[in-house]
Amino acid sequence: MDSSAREDQAAAYAAELRFRTGGPAIFGVWSQPDVADHKFTEWLGAYSRPGAALTLTALTGGTARPVKSWTYEGGLTTGAV
């Protein structure tokens, strides 16, 4: 097994939904990217309202890489957010 395969296996995916700036949040971490992406989409459908912000981040070896984010005001952004 090469090092990139080990890195992929060690990755986690974190989604955070903040209902308003500085307000309460829902946070979850999953080992499978498709599960985390599904949860991101599910939360987006259920909680999209003014002031809400949603982020999906890949966590690998202590490094966080933004995958996508969404705000009611700005819409969806993918990649480096």
Side-chain angles (χ1 to χ4, degrees):
M1 177 186 300
D2 66 29
S3 63
S4 64
R6 282 192 302 274
E7 182 176 306
D8 288 345
Q9 289 179 350
Y13 301 87
E16 179 180 335
L17 167 65
R18 191 148 304 267
F19 296 98
R20 63 178 183 275
T21 304
I26 298 173
F27 184 80
V29 178
W30 297 270
S31 60
Q32 299 297 318
D34 56 332
V35 174
D37 189 62
H38 176 77
K39 188 56 71 172
F40 180 95
T41 303
E42 182 181 290
W43 288 354
L44 178 59
Y47 301 106
S48 59
R49 56 190 54 124
L54 183 57
T55 59
L56 180 62
T57 306
L59 310 168
T60 307
T63 302
R65 180 182 53 83
V67 176
K68 59 184 167 180
S69 67
W70 174 91
T71 63
Y72 185 86
E73 295 75 14
L76 183 66
T77 303
T78 58
V81 294

